[in-house]
Coordinates of all heavy atoms in Angstrom, one line a residue:
D55 N 13.8 30.7 -6.1 CA 14.4 30.0 -7.2 C 14.4 28.5 -7.0 O 14.3 27.7 -7.9 CB 15.8 30.6 -7.4 CG 15.8 32.0 -8.0 OD1 14.8 32.4 -8.6 OD2 16.9 32.6 -7.9
F56 N 14.8 28.2 -5.7 CA 14.8 26.8 -5.4 C 13.6 26.0 -5.6 O 13.5 25.0 -6.2 CB 15.3 26.6 -3.9 CG 15.5 25.2 -3.5 CD1 16.7 24.5 -3.8 CD2 14.4 24.6 -2.8 CE1 16.8 23.1 -3.3 CE2 14.6 23.2 -2.3 CZ 15.7 22.5 -2.6
C57 N 12.4 26.6 -5.1 CA 11.1 26.0 -5.2 C 10.7 25.9 -6.7 O 10.1 24.9 -7.1 CB 10.1 26.8 -4.4 SG 10.3 26.7 -2.6
K58 N 11.1 26.9 -7.5 CA 10.7 26.9 -8.9 C 11.5 25.7 -9.6 O 10.9 25.0 -10.4 CB 11.1 28.2 -9.5 CG 10.6 28.3 -11.0 CD 10.9 29.8 -11.5 CE 10.5 29.8 -13.0 NZ 10.7 31.2 -13.5
K59 N 12.8 25.6 -9.3 CA 13.6 24.6 -9.9 C 13.1 23.2 -9.6 O 13.1 22.2 -10.3 CB 15.0 24.7 -9.6 CG 15.7 25.9 -10.3 CD 17.1 26.1 -9.9 CE 17.8 27.3 -10.5 NZ 19.1 27.6 -10.1
K60 N 12.8 23.0 -8.3 CA 12.4 21.7 -7.7 C 10.9 21.4 -7.8 O 10.4 20.4 -7.3 CB 12.8 21.6 -6.3 CG 14.3 21.7 -6.1 CD 15.1 20.7 -6.8 CE 16.6 20.8 -6.5 NZ 17.4 19.7 -7.2
K61 N 10.2 22.4 -8.4 CA 8.7 22.2 -8.6 C 8.0 22.0 -7.2 O 7.1 21.2 -7.1 CB 8.4 21.1 -9.5 CG 8.9 21.3 -10.9 CD 8.5 20.2 -11.9 CE 9.1 20.5 -13.3 NZ 8.8 19.4 -14.2
I62 N 8.4 22.8 -6.3 CA 7.8 22.8 -4.9 C 6.8 24.0 -4.9 O 7.1 25.1 -5.3 CB 8.9 23.0 -3.9 CG1 9.8 21.8 -3.9 CG2 8.2 23.2 -2.5 CD1 11.0 22.0 -3.0
K63 N 5.6 23.7 -4.4 CA 4.5 24.6 -4.3 C 4.9 25.7 -3.2 O 5.2 25.4 -2.1 CB 3.2 24.0 -3.9 CG 2.0 24.9 -4.0 CD 0.8 24.3 -3.5 CE 0.3 23.2 -4.5 NZ -1.0 22.5 -4.2
L64 N 4.9 27.0 -3.7 CA 5.3 28.1 -2.8 C 4.1 29.1 -2.7 O 3.7 29.6 -3.7 CB 6.5 28.8 -3.3 CG 7.1 30.0 -2.5 CD1 7.4 29.6 -1.0 CD2 8.3 30.6 -3.2
I65 N 3.7 29.3 -1.4 CA 2.5 30.1 -1.2 C 2.9 31.3 -0.4 O 3.7 31.2 0.6 CB 1.4 29.3 -0.5 CG1 0.9 28.1 -1.3 CG2 0.2 30.2 -0.2 CD1 0.2 27.1 -0.5
F66 N 2.4 32.5 -0.8 CA 2.8 33.7 0.0 C 1.6 34.3 0.7 O 0.5 34.5 0.1 CB 3.3 34.8 -1.0 CG 4.6 34.4 -1.6 CD1 4.7 33.8 -2.9 CD2 5.8 34.8 -1.0 CE1 5.9 33.4 -3.5 CE2 7.0 34.4 -1.6 CZ 7.0 33.8 -2.8
N67 N 1.7 34.4 2.0 CA 0.6 35.1 2.8 C 0.7 36.5 2.5 O 1.8 37.1 2.4 CB 0.8 34.8 4.3 CG 0.5 33.4 4.7 OD1 -0.1 32.6 3.9 ND2 0.9 33.0 5.9
K68 N -0.4 37.2 2.4 CA -0.4 38.6 2.1 C -0.1 39.4 3.3 O 0.4 40.6 3.2 CB -1.9 39.0 1.7 CG -2.2 38.4 0.3 CD -3.6 38.9 -0.2 CE -3.9 38.3 -1.5 NZ -5.3 38.7 -2.0
K69 N -0.2 38.9 4.5 CA 0.2 39.5 5.7 C 0.8 38.5 6.7 O 0.5 37.3 6.6 CB -0.9 40.3 6.4 CG -2.0 39.4 6.8 CD -3.1 40.3 7.5 CE -4.2 39.4 8.0 NZ -5.3 40.3 8.8
N70 N 1.6 39.0 7.6 CA 2.1 38.0 8.6 C 1.0 37.6 9.5 O 0.5 38.3 10.3 CB 3.3 38.7 9.4 CG 3.9 37.8 10.4 OD1 3.6 37.8 11.6 ND2 4.8 37.0 9.9
S71 N 0.8 36.2 9.4 CA -0.4 35.7 10.1 C -0.1 34.8 11.3 O -1.0 34.4 12.0 CB -1.3 35.0 9.1 OG -1.7 35.8 8.0
G72 N 1.2 34.3 11.4 CA 1.5 33.5 12.5 C 1.6 32.0 12.1 O 1.1 31.6 11.1
F73 N 2.2 31.2 13.0 CA 2.5 29.8 12.8 C 1.2 29.0 12.5 O 1.2 28.2 11.6 CB 3.2 29.3 14.0 CG 4.0 28.0 13.8 CD1 4.9 27.9 12.8 CD2 3.7 26.9 14.6 CE1 5.6 26.7 12.6 CE2 4.4 25.7 14.5 CZ 5.3 25.6 13.4
Y74 N 0.1 29.2 13.3 CA -1.1 28.4 13.1 C -1.7 28.7 11.8 O -2.2 27.8 11.2 CB -2.0 28.7 14.3 CG -3.3 27.9 14.3 CD1 -3.3 26.5 14.0 CD2 -4.5 28.4 14.6 CE1 -4.4 25.7 13.9 CE2 -5.7 27.6 14.6 CZ -5.6 26.3 14.3 OH -6.8 25.5 14.2
K75 N -1.8 30.0 11.4 CA -2.4 30.3 10.1 C -1.6 29.6 9.0 O -2.2 29.1 8.0 CB -2.4 31.8 9.9 CG -3.3 32.5 10.9 CD -4.8 32.1 10.7 CE -5.7 32.9 11.7 NZ -7.0 32.4 11.7
C76 N -0.3 29.5 9.1 CA 0.5 28.8 8.1 C 0.1 27.3 8.1 O 0.1 26.7 7.0 CB 2.0 29.0 8.4 SG 2.7 30.6 8.0
F77 N -0.1 26.8 9.2 CA -0.4 25.4 9.4 C -1.8 25.2 8.6 O -1.9 24.2 7.8 CB -0.6 25.0 10.8 CG -1.2 23.6 11.1 CD1 -0.4 22.5 11.1 CD2 -2.6 23.5 11.2 CE1 -1.0 21.3 11.4 CE2 -3.1 22.3 11.5 CZ -2.4 21.1 11.5
L78 N -2.7 26.1 8.8 CA -4.0 25.9 8.1 C -3.9 26.1 6.6 O -4.7 25.4 5.9 CB -5.0 27.0 8.8 CG -5.4 26.8 10.2 CD1 -6.3 27.8 10.7 CD2 -6.0 25.4 10.5
V79 N -3.1 27.0 6.2 CA -2.9 27.2 4.7 C -2.4 26.0 4.1 O -2.9 25.6 3.1 CB -2.0 28.5 4.5 CG1 -1.6 28.5 3.0 CG2 -2.6 29.8 4.9
G80 N -1.3 25.4 4.8 CA -0.8 24.1 4.2 C -1.8 23.0 4.2 O -1.9 22.3 3.3
L81 N -2.6 23.0 5.3 CA -3.6 21.9 5.4 C -4.7 22.1 4.2 O -5.1 21.1 3.6 CB -4.3 22.0 6.7 CG -5.4 21.0 7.1 CD1 -4.7 19.6 7.2 CD2 -6.2 21.3 8.3
A82 N -5.0 23.3 4.0 CA -6.0 23.6 2.9 C -5.4 23.2 1.5 O -6.2 22.8 0.6 CB -6.4 25.1 2.9
E83 N -4.2 23.4 1.3 CA -3.5 23.1 0.0 C -3.2 21.7 -0.1 O -2.9 21.2 -1.3 CB -2.3 24.0 -0.1 CG -2.5 25.5 -0.3 CD -3.0 25.8 -1.6 OE1 -2.8 25.0 -2.6 OE2 -3.7 26.9 -1.7
A84 N -3.1 20.9 1.0 CA -2.6 19.5 0.9 C -3.6 18.7 0.1 O -4.8 18.7 0.3 CB -2.5 19.0 2.4
K85 N -3.0 17.8 -0.8 CA -3.9 17.0 -1.6 C -3.9 15.5 -1.2 O -4.7 14.8 -1.7 CB -3.4 17.1 -3.0 CG -2.1 16.6 -3.4 CD -1.8 16.7 -4.9 CE -0.4 16.1 -5.2 NZ -0.1 16.3 -6.6
Y86 N -3.0 15.2 -0.3 CA -2.9 13.8 0.1 C -3.6 13.5 1.4 O -4.0 14.4 2.2 CB -1.4 13.3 0.1 CG -0.8 13.2 -1.2 CD1 0.5 13.7 -1.4 CD2 -1.5 12.7 -2.3 CE1 1.1 13.6 -2.7 CE2 -0.9 12.6 -3.6 CZ 0.4 13.0 -3.7 OH 0.9 12.9 -5.0
E87 N -3.7 12.2 1.7 CA -4.5 11.9 3.0 C -3.9 12.2 4.2 O -4.6 12.6 5.2 CB -4.6 10.3 2.9 CG -5.4 9.7 4.1 CD -5.6 8.2 4.0 OE1 -5.0 7.6 3.1 OE2 -6.3 7.6 4.9
Y88 N -2.5 12.2 4.3 CA -1.8 12.6 5.5 C -1.1 13.9 5.4 O -0.6 14.2 4.3 CB -0.9 11.5 6.0 CG -1.7 10.2 6.4 CD1 -2.0 9.2 5.6 CD2 -2.1 10.1 7.8 CE1 -2.7 8.1 6.0 CE2 -2.8 9.0 8.2 CZ -3.1 8.0 7.2 OH -3.9 6.9 7.7
Y89 N -0.9 14.6 6.5 CA -0.3 15.9 6.5 C 0.6 16.1 7.6 O 0.4 15.8 8.8 CB -1.5 17.0 6.6 CG -1.1 18.4 6.7 CD1 -0.4 19.0 5.7 CD2 -1.3 19.2 7.9 CE1 0.0 20.4 5.7 CE2 -0.9 20.5 8.0 CZ -0.3 21.1 6.8 OH 0.1 22.4 7.0
K90 N 1.8 16.6 7.2 CA 2.9 16.9 8.2 C 3.4 18.3 8.0 O 3.7 18.7 6.9 CB 4.0 15.9 8.1 CG 5.3 16.2 9.0 CD 5.0 15.8 10.4 CE 6.2 15.9 11.3 NZ 6.5 17.3 11.9
F91 N 3.4 19.1 9.1 CA 3.8 20.4 9.1 C 5.1 20.6 9.8 O 5.3 20.0 10.9 CB 2.7 21.3 9.7 CG 3.0 22.8 9.6 CD1 2.9 23.4 8.3 CD2 3.1 23.6 10.7 CE1 3.2 24.8 8.3 CE2 3.3 24.9 10.6 CZ 3.4 25.5 9.4
F92 N 6.0 21.4 9.3 CA 7.3 21.6 9.9 C 7.5 23.1 10.1 O 7.1 23.9 9.2 CB 8.5 21.1 9.0 CG 8.7 19.7 9.0 CD1 8.2 18.9 7.9 CD2 9.4 19.0 10.0 CE1 8.4 17.5 7.9 CE2 9.6 17.6 10.0 CZ 9.1 16.9 8.9

Side-chain angles (χ1 to χ4, degrees):
D55 290 342
F56 180 83
C57 289
K58 186 176 181 180
K59 288 178 182 177
K60 300 297 181 180
K61 297 182 180 179
I62 296 170
K63 187 182 294 185
L64 179 57
I65 301 166
F66 293 92
N67 289 344
K68 292 182 179 179
K69 63 178 182 178
N70 183 260
S71 304
F73 197 55
Y74 183 42
K75 295 298 183 184
C76 289
F77 173 87
L78 294 177
V79 170
L81 185 68
E83 290 289 332
K85 67 180 180 181
Y86 290 138
E87 182 179 4
Y88 291 91
Y89 176 62
K90 175 74 172 85
F91 186 66
F92 286 98

